[in-house]
C-alpha cells in the first residue's frame, strides 16, 4: 500500500485541488476502463488487483492511497514499480480529453446516485456538518468535478504525490 499525506479539504492551496485529486483517483481506479485495472491487471498482468482512492472528506488531514496485489509469478517489487510508473506518468503526461470526460461523468454520477434515498442524504448532511462543511457541498460537488482540467490533474499529481509525503507498507 502506498499512501500520500493530504491536507484537510479546507487547507489546500487552491479550491480545485481536492476535486482534481478525486478525478485523479478515478483515472487510476474508476472501474474496468480505469488505468490500474485495464493496464496493470488485464493487459500487462502485473497485478491481480489494484485500487486507488482519495479520502476527500475528513475532519483532519487525510490520505490518497494506492493498493495492489501482485499477480501470480510477480513480486511486490514488480507491483510497486508498476504503481510508481503510473504516478510518474500522471505527473508528466496530460490525461486525454476522452478519458477525462469519462472519469468526470463517472465521479459525478457516483456521488449523485449515492444520494438516492432520503436516509442517505440525511446521513451525508450529518457527516458534512460533523466535519464542518456545508450541506451545499452535495450540490456543488458535481459542478466542481466538471470544472477539473487535465492540467489540474497533472498539477495535483506533481504537487501532492511526492516522495516526501509518501508512506509505504508491504505485506508478505
Amino acid at each position: 500500500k502506498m499512501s500520500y499525506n493530504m491536507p484537510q479539504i479546507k487547507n489546500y492551496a487552491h479550491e480545485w485541488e481536492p476535486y482534481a485529486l478525486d478525478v485523479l483517483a478515478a483515472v487510476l481506479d474508476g472501474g474496468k476502463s480505469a488505468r490500474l485495472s485495464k493496464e496493470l491487471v488485464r493487459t500487462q498482468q502485473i497485478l491481480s488487483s489494484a485500487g486507488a482512492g482519495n479520502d476527500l472528506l475528513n475532519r483532519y488531514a487525510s490520505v490518497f492511497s494506492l493498493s495492489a496485489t501482485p499477480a501470480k509469478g510477480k513480486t511486490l517489487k514488480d507491483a510497486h514499480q508498476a504503481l510508481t510508473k503510473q504516478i510518474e506518468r500522471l505527473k508528466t503526461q496530460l490525461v486525454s480529453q476522452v478519458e477525462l470526460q469519462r472519469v468526470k461523468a463517472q465521479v459525478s454520477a457516483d456521488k449523485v446516485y449515492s444520494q438516492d434515498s432520503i436516509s442517505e442524504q440525511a446521513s451525508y448532511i450529518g457527516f458534512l456538518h460533523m466535519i464542518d462543511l456545508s450541506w451545499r457541498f452535495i450540490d456543488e460537488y458535481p459542478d466542481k468535478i466538471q470544472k477539473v482540467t487535465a492540467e489540474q490533474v497533472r498539477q495535483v499529481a506533481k504537487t501532492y504525490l511526492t516522495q516526501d509525503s509518501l508512506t509505504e507498507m508491504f505485506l508478505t
Side-chain angles (χ1 to χ4, degrees), residues 39-151:
E39 296 175 17
L40 302 183
V41 175
R42 292 195 321 274
T43 303
Q44 297 175 29
Q45 298 181 350
I46 296 169
L47 307 175
S48 63
S49 66
N54 182 38
D55 191 9
L56 176 66
L57 299 176
N58 227 319
R59 186 170 185 88
Y60 304 106
S62 62
V63 294
F64 183 99
S65 296
L66 295 148
S67 59
T69 303
K72 187 175 181 178
K74 299 294 181 180
T75 66
L76 286 172
K77 183 178 180 182
D78 297 331
H80 182 265
Q81 287 175 337
L83 291 177
T84 301
K85 193 173 189 180
Q86 287 292 325
I87 294 299
E88 292 307 312
R89 181 174 156 204
L90 285 164
K91 292 177 183 181
T92 59
Q93 297 175 17
L94 291 176
V95 174
S96 75
Q97 285 304 309
V98 171
E99 186 176 24
L100 184 64
Q101 292 307 318
R102 176 188 55 77
V103 165
K104 290 192 309 188
Q106 179 184 6
V107 170
S108 294
D110 286 350
K111 190 61 77 180
V112 169
Y113 291 133
S114 72
Q115 302 302 309
D116 271 352
S117 73
I118 295 296
S119 64
E120 287 294 326
Q121 291 174 28
S123 176
Y124 200 53
I125 289 169
F127 176 74
L128 290 170
H129 181 71
M130 185 179 76
I131 62 171
D132 199 29
L133 289 176
S134 168
W135 60 269
R136 289 179 180 86
F137 177 86
I138 296 169
D139 294 331
E140 295 167 354
Y141 182 85
D143 292 334
K144 290 185 179 187
I145 289 295
Q146 291 307 312
K147 291 178 182 173
V148 170
T149 67
E151 180 56 43

